[in-house]
Amino acid sequence: MKTSQRVAVVTGGSRGIGAAICRQLAGDGFAVHLVYRGAEVEAKKVAEEITSAGGRVTVHQADVSDEDQVRQLVDDVHSQSGRVDVLVNNAGVIDDRLLAVTTLAQWEGVIRVNLIGPYLMCRAVVPLMLEFGYGRIINVSSNSVRIPGPGQTAYAASKGGVEALTRALAMEVGRKGIRVNTVAPGRVKTDMTDAVAAQLGGDAGPRWGLPEDISALVGFLAGDGADYIQGQTITADGGRLVMRPQGTRRAS
Ligand SMILES: NC(=O)c1ccc[n+]([C@@H]2O[C@H](COP(=O)([O-])OP(=O)(O)OC[C@H]3O[C@@H](n4cnc5c(N)ncnc54)[C@H](OP(=O)(O)O)[C@@H]3O)[C@@H](O)[C@H]2O)c1
Protein backbone atom coordinates (compact mmCIF):
# COMPACT_ATOMS: atom_id res chain seq x y z
CA MET A 1 0.00 0.00 0.00
CA LYS A 2 1.22 3.49 -0.83
CA THR A 3 2.08 5.77 2.10
CA SER A 4 -0.45 8.26 0.70
CA GLN A 5 -3.21 5.81 1.67
CA ARG A 6 -1.91 5.35 5.19
CA VAL A 7 -3.25 7.04 8.30
CA ALA A 8 -1.23 8.15 11.33
CA VAL A 9 -2.34 9.29 14.79
CA VAL A 10 0.14 11.42 16.75
CA THR A 11 -0.55 12.38 20.37
CA GLY A 12 0.91 15.58 21.77
CA GLY A 13 1.10 17.08 18.29
CA SER A 14 0.56 20.70 19.30
CA ARG A 15 4.12 21.45 20.28
CA GLY A 16 7.73 20.34 20.40
CA ILE A 17 8.62 16.83 19.30
CA GLY A 18 5.01 15.87 18.51
CA ALA A 19 4.56 18.85 16.17
CA ALA A 20 7.76 17.85 14.33
CA ILE A 21 6.49 14.25 14.07
CA CYS A 22 3.22 15.49 12.55
CA ARG A 23 5.15 17.58 10.00
CA GLN A 24 7.46 14.63 9.20
CA LEU A 25 4.66 12.10 8.68
CA ALA A 26 2.49 14.52 6.69
CA GLY A 27 5.53 15.30 4.53
CA ASP A 28 6.02 11.56 4.02
CA GLY A 29 2.47 11.33 2.68
CA PHE A 30 0.48 10.07 5.67
CA ALA A 31 -2.95 11.50 6.49
CA VAL A 32 -2.17 12.73 10.00
CA HIS A 33 -4.54 12.98 12.96
CA LEU A 34 -2.94 15.46 15.37
CA VAL A 35 -4.04 15.11 18.99
CA TYR A 36 -3.58 17.89 21.54
CA ARG A 37 -4.90 18.38 25.06
CA GLY A 38 -5.03 22.12 25.78
CA ALA A 39 -2.98 24.09 23.25
CA GLU A 40 -5.65 24.63 20.61
CA VAL A 41 -4.07 27.70 19.03
CA GLU A 42 -0.69 25.97 18.70
CA ALA A 43 -2.30 22.78 17.35
CA LYS A 44 -4.17 24.72 14.68
CA LYS A 45 -0.99 26.59 13.75
CA VAL A 46 0.87 23.29 13.23
CA ALA A 47 -2.05 22.06 11.13
CA GLU A 48 -2.02 25.23 9.00
CA GLU A 49 1.71 24.82 8.35
CA ILE A 50 1.15 21.22 7.27
CA THR A 51 -1.78 22.10 5.04
CA SER A 52 0.04 24.97 3.37
CA ALA A 53 2.96 22.62 2.65
CA GLY A 54 0.49 20.30 0.85
CA GLY A 55 0.00 17.79 3.67
CA ARG A 56 -3.18 16.32 5.12
CA VAL A 57 -4.01 16.78 8.79
CA THR A 58 -7.05 16.66 11.08
CA VAL A 59 -6.91 18.15 14.57
CA HIS A 60 -8.48 16.44 17.63
CA GLN A 61 -8.71 17.51 21.25
CA ALA A 62 -8.37 14.66 23.76
CA ASP A 63 -6.73 13.85 27.05
CA VAL A 64 -4.86 10.58 26.53
CA SER A 65 -5.15 9.69 30.21
CA ASP A 66 -8.97 9.66 30.04
CA GLU A 67 -10.47 6.34 28.93
CA ASP A 68 -13.69 7.82 27.51
CA GLN A 69 -11.88 10.57 25.61
CA VAL A 70 -9.47 8.06 24.08
CA ARG A 71 -12.35 5.83 22.99
CA GLN A 72 -14.14 8.82 21.43
CA LEU A 73 -10.94 10.01 19.74
CA VAL A 74 -10.24 6.65 18.10
CA ASP A 75 -13.91 6.29 17.07
CA ASP A 76 -13.69 9.72 15.41
CA VAL A 77 -10.46 8.84 13.58
CA HIS A 78 -11.95 5.53 12.46
CA SER A 79 -15.12 7.11 11.15
CA GLN A 80 -13.15 9.83 9.34
CA SER A 81 -10.33 7.71 7.89
CA GLY A 82 -11.49 4.09 8.18
CA ARG A 83 -8.17 2.81 9.48
CA VAL A 84 -5.12 3.56 11.62
CA ASP A 85 -1.75 2.42 10.29
CA VAL A 86 0.58 4.34 12.58
CA LEU A 87 0.18 5.36 16.21
CA VAL A 88 2.77 7.62 17.82
CA ASN A 89 2.38 7.83 21.59
CA ASN A 90 4.30 11.05 22.09
CA ALA A 91 2.16 13.04 24.58
CA GLY A 92 3.95 13.37 27.86
CA VAL A 93 4.39 15.46 30.97
CA ILE A 94 7.24 16.05 33.37
CA ASP A 95 6.77 16.99 37.02
CA ASP A 96 10.16 16.52 38.65
CA ARG A 97 10.35 16.64 42.42
CA LEU A 98 12.20 14.58 45.02
CA LEU A 99 10.34 11.42 45.97
CA ALA A 100 10.17 12.35 49.66
CA VAL A 101 8.05 15.41 48.85
CA THR A 102 5.99 13.92 46.03
CA THR A 103 2.34 13.31 46.80
CA LEU A 104 0.55 10.27 45.47
CA ALA A 105 -1.59 12.52 43.28
CA GLN A 106 1.53 14.11 41.72
CA TRP A 107 3.18 10.73 41.10
CA GLU A 108 -0.02 9.30 39.64
CA GLY A 109 -0.46 12.39 37.45
CA VAL A 110 2.77 11.60 35.61
CA ILE A 111 2.03 7.87 35.37
CA ARG A 112 -1.49 8.54 34.06
CA VAL A 113 -0.36 10.62 31.09
CA ASN A 114 2.98 8.97 30.30
CA LEU A 115 2.12 5.29 30.85
CA ILE A 116 -1.65 4.81 31.15
CA GLY A 117 -2.09 7.14 28.14
CA PRO A 118 -0.06 4.89 25.79
CA TYR A 119 -1.84 1.80 27.20
CA LEU A 120 -5.27 3.34 26.50
CA MET A 121 -4.24 4.48 23.02
CA CYS A 122 -2.74 1.08 22.14
CA ARG A 123 -5.78 -0.76 23.46
CA ALA A 124 -8.09 1.36 21.32
CA VAL A 125 -5.98 1.26 18.16
CA VAL A 126 -4.62 -2.32 18.08
CA PRO A 127 -7.99 -3.89 17.07
CA LEU A 128 -8.10 -1.55 14.04
CA MET A 129 -4.56 -2.54 13.07
CA LEU A 130 -5.37 -6.23 13.47
CA GLU A 131 -8.26 -5.78 11.04
CA PHE A 132 -5.78 -4.87 8.30
CA GLY A 133 -2.88 -7.04 9.51
CA TYR A 134 -0.62 -4.00 9.53
CA GLY A 135 0.50 -1.43 12.05
CA ARG A 136 3.34 0.65 13.41
CA ILE A 137 3.24 1.75 17.03
CA ILE A 138 5.99 4.11 18.10
CA ASN A 139 6.18 5.03 21.76
CA VAL A 140 8.27 7.92 23.01
CA SER A 141 10.22 7.28 26.20
CA SER A 142 13.35 9.08 27.39
CA ASN A 143 16.96 8.36 28.17
CA SER A 144 16.02 9.41 31.71
CA VAL A 145 15.21 5.69 32.05
CA ARG A 146 18.95 5.00 31.90
CA ILE A 147 20.38 8.27 33.26
CA PRO A 148 17.68 9.75 35.48
CA GLY A 149 18.18 13.02 37.28
CA PRO A 150 17.22 13.68 40.89
CA GLY A 151 13.47 14.19 41.16
CA GLN A 152 12.66 11.93 38.23
CA THR A 153 11.28 8.82 39.98
CA ALA A 154 7.81 9.25 38.48
CA TYR A 155 9.02 10.37 35.05
CA ALA A 156 11.71 7.67 34.74
CA ALA A 157 9.35 4.97 36.05
CA SER A 158 6.65 6.02 33.59
CA LYS A 159 9.06 5.94 30.66
CA GLY A 160 10.61 2.65 31.80
CA GLY A 161 7.08 1.30 31.87
CA VAL A 162 6.56 2.48 28.29
CA GLU A 163 9.66 0.60 27.17
CA ALA A 164 8.45 -2.57 28.91
CA LEU A 165 4.97 -2.11 27.41
CA THR A 166 6.61 -1.87 23.98
CA ARG A 167 8.44 -5.19 24.36
CA ALA A 168 5.45 -7.03 25.82
CA LEU A 169 3.02 -5.72 23.20
CA ALA A 170 5.49 -6.53 20.42
CA MET A 171 5.38 -10.14 21.63
CA GLU A 172 1.57 -10.13 21.48
CA VAL A 173 1.05 -8.62 18.04
CA GLY A 174 4.29 -9.21 16.13
CA ARG A 175 2.95 -12.12 14.12
CA LYS A 176 -0.05 -10.02 13.06
CA GLY A 177 2.00 -7.52 11.07
CA ILE A 178 2.22 -4.91 13.81
CA ARG A 179 5.57 -3.45 14.81
CA VAL A 180 5.94 -1.83 18.22
CA ASN A 181 9.06 0.18 19.02
CA THR A 182 10.20 2.95 21.33
CA VAL A 183 12.21 6.06 20.59
CA ALA A 184 14.14 7.38 23.59
CA PRO A 185 15.21 10.98 23.10
CA GLY A 186 17.95 12.72 25.02
CA ARG A 187 17.66 16.43 25.74
CA VAL A 188 15.58 18.11 23.08
CA LYS A 189 14.85 21.83 23.03
CA THR A 190 11.10 22.18 23.53
CA ASP A 191 8.71 23.86 25.96
CA MET A 192 9.22 20.85 28.26
CA THR A 193 12.92 21.57 28.68
CA ASP A 194 13.02 25.36 28.25
CA ALA A 195 12.73 25.83 32.01
CA VAL A 196 15.84 23.74 32.71
CA ALA A 197 17.88 24.48 29.57
CA ALA A 198 19.83 27.27 31.21
CA GLN A 199 20.81 25.05 34.14
CA LEU A 200 21.66 22.00 32.07
CA GLY A 201 23.04 23.52 28.90
CA GLY A 202 26.57 24.32 30.03
CA ASP A 203 28.10 20.86 30.41
CA ALA A 204 30.50 19.16 28.04
CA GLY A 205 27.91 16.73 26.64
CA PRO A 206 26.51 16.65 23.12
CA ARG A 207 24.50 19.53 21.64
CA TRP A 208 20.85 19.92 22.49
CA GLY A 209 18.66 17.91 20.19
CA LEU A 210 16.07 19.46 17.91
CA PRO A 211 12.54 18.06 17.57
CA GLU A 212 13.49 17.15 13.98
CA ASP A 213 16.29 14.88 15.27
CA ILE A 214 13.57 12.75 16.84
CA SER A 215 10.90 13.06 14.15
CA ALA A 216 13.31 11.78 11.48
CA LEU A 217 13.73 8.54 13.44
CA VAL A 218 9.99 8.24 14.02
CA GLY A 219 9.46 8.75 10.28
CA PHE A 220 11.81 5.84 9.56
CA LEU A 221 10.10 3.55 12.08
CA ALA A 222 6.70 4.45 10.61
CA GLY A 223 7.78 3.35 7.14
CA ASP A 224 7.98 -0.01 5.41
CA GLY A 225 11.79 0.02 5.67
CA ALA A 226 11.48 -0.63 9.41
CA ASP A 227 9.56 -3.89 9.03
CA TYR A 228 12.36 -5.97 10.61
CA ILE A 229 12.66 -3.77 13.72
CA GLN A 230 10.47 -5.04 16.53
CA GLY A 231 10.21 -4.47 20.27
CA GLN A 232 13.24 -2.17 20.36
CA THR A 233 14.10 1.02 22.17
CA ILE A 234 16.22 3.24 19.95
CA THR A 235 18.00 6.12 21.65
CA ALA A 236 18.47 9.44 19.86
CA ASP A 237 20.56 11.58 22.22
CA GLY A 238 23.59 12.73 20.24
CA GLY A 239 25.71 10.21 22.15
CA ARG A 240 25.00 11.42 25.69
CA LEU A 241 24.43 7.88 26.94
CA VAL A 242 27.76 6.57 25.68
CA MET A 243 29.79 9.71 26.41
CA ARG A 244 28.74 9.91 30.05
CA PRO A 245 30.20 7.22 32.32
CA GLN A 246 27.66 5.47 34.53
CA GLY A 247 26.71 7.32 37.67
CA THR A 248 28.15 10.70 36.78
CA ARG A 249 24.99 12.61 35.96
CA ARG A 250 25.26 16.04 37.53
CA ALA A 251 22.81 16.75 40.35
CA SER A 252 20.49 19.62 39.50
N1 LIG B 1 12.09 17.48 25.30
C1 LIG B 1 12.92 16.54 25.75
O1 LIG B 1 14.11 16.81 26.06
C2 LIG B 1 12.47 15.12 25.88
C3 LIG B 1 13.44 14.17 26.23
C4 LIG B 1 13.05 12.84 26.34
C5 LIG B 1 11.75 12.48 26.11
N2 LIG B 1 10.83 13.44 25.79
C6 LIG B 1 9.46 12.99 25.58
O2 LIG B 1 9.04 13.40 24.30
C7 LIG B 1 7.63 13.66 24.30
C8 LIG B 1 7.35 15.07 23.79
O3 LIG B 1 8.07 15.97 24.61
P1 LIG B 1 8.14 17.55 24.29
O4 LIG B 1 9.42 18.02 24.86
O5 LIG B 1 7.82 17.81 22.87
O6 LIG B 1 6.96 18.06 25.24
P2 LIG B 1 6.11 19.43 25.25
O7 LIG B 1 6.73 20.45 24.38
O8 LIG B 1 5.88 19.74 26.68
O9 LIG B 1 4.74 18.95 24.58
C9 LIG B 1 3.98 17.98 25.24
C10 LIG B 1 2.84 17.57 24.34
O10 LIG B 1 2.08 16.56 25.01
C11 LIG B 1 0.72 16.95 25.04
N3 LIG B 1 0.06 16.42 26.22
C12 LIG B 1 0.45 16.50 27.51
N4 LIG B 1 -0.41 15.87 28.30
C13 LIG B 1 -1.38 15.38 27.51
C14 LIG B 1 -2.55 14.63 27.72
N5 LIG B 1 -2.93 14.25 28.96
N6 LIG B 1 -3.32 14.29 26.66
C15 LIG B 1 -2.97 14.65 25.41
N7 LIG B 1 -1.87 15.36 25.14
C16 LIG B 1 -1.09 15.73 26.17
C17 LIG B 1 0.76 18.46 25.03
O11 LIG B 1 -0.52 18.93 24.57
P3 LIG B 1 -1.02 20.46 24.86
O12 LIG B 1 0.13 21.34 24.53
O13 LIG B 1 -2.15 20.61 23.93
O14 LIG B 1 -1.38 20.50 26.30
C18 LIG B 1 1.89 18.72 24.06
O15 LIG B 1 1.44 18.62 22.73
C19 LIG B 1 7.17 13.45 25.75
O16 LIG B 1 6.65 12.15 25.90
C20 LIG B 1 8.46 13.59 26.54
O17 LIG B 1 8.40 12.90 27.78
C21 LIG B 1 11.16 14.74 25.67
Side-chain angles (χ1 to χ4, degrees):
M1 178 184 255
K2 289 181 187 155
T3 305
S4 61
Q5 293 167 294
R6 295 210 188 277
V7 175
V9 176
V10 181
T11 69
S14 52
R15 294 186 276 127
I17 294 169
I21 293 170
C22 289
R23 286 191 286 266
Q24 171 80 42
L25 296 183
D28 290 344
F30 290 90
V32 173
H33 291 267
L34 179 165
V35 184
Y36 73 97
R37 177 178 55 176
E40 183 179 5
V41 173
E42 289 86 344
K44 287 187 171 161
K45 195 161 166 266
V46 174
E48 277 164 24
E49 283 167 23
I50 289 173
T51 309
S52 43
R56 294 168 298 153
V57 61
T58 309
V59 174
H60 304 261
Q61 192 279 326
D63 181 340
V64 297
S65 68
D66 183 298
E67 187 172 19
D68 292 340
Q69 291 187 37
V70 167
R71 192 175 295 122
Q72 186 62 54
L73 164 70
V74 175
D75 282 353
D76 290 347
V77 170
H78 189 234
S79 60
Q80 288 163 15
S81 291
R83 56 189 295 137
V84 174
D85 300 287
V86 174
L87 167 64
V88 185
N89 282 311
N90 162 79
V93 291
I94 198 160
D95 186 12
D96 288 359
R97 54 187 86 224
L98 298 177
L99 180 139
V101 294
T102 304
T103 65
L104 177 59
Q106 287 159 346
W107 220 84
E108 272 181 355
V110 174
I111 299 292
R112 278 212 74 81
V113 177
N114 292 3
L115 181 56
I116 295 180
Y119 149 69
L120 291 172
M121 289 298 300
C122 288
R123 193 184 63 173
V125 162
V126 162
L128 306 181
M129 292 179 165
L130 289 173
E131 213 178 292
F132 290 91
Y134 181 91
R136 297 276 184 273
I137 297 174
I138 299 143
N139 297 317
V140 179
S141 69
S142 166
N143 72 358
S144 291
V145 175
R146 281 153 288 280
I147 42 172
Q152 293 202 308
T153 59
Y155 185 73
S158 70
K159 295 300 190 179
V162 162
E163 294 182 9
L165 180 156
T166 294
R167 288 170 60 81
L169 183 58
M171 280 293 295
E172 287 185 21
V173 298
R175 276 191 284 265
K176 304 288 184 184
I178 302 174
R179 303 289 169 262
V180 193
N181 290 292
T182 301
V183 168
R187 293 173 183 169
V188 180
K189 264 201 85 45
T190 67
D191 292 348
M192 185 178 272
T193 48
D194 269 359
V196 293
Q199 292 159 278
L200 296 174
D203 68 15
R207 70 164 169 84
W208 277 80
L210 301 172
E212 291 71 24
D213 290 316
I214 309 305
S215 61
L217 176 56
V218 172
F220 173 70
L221 290 172
D224 289 337
D227 187 57
Y228 208 49
I229 303 175
Q230 176 71 313
Q232 298 301 306
T233 293
I234 302 174
T235 296
D237 71 346
R240 179 168 296 276
L241 207 55
V242 290
M243 288 163 72
R244 182 180 288 265
Q246 289 289 325
T248 60
R249 183 165 185 154
R250 188 170 44 161
S252 52

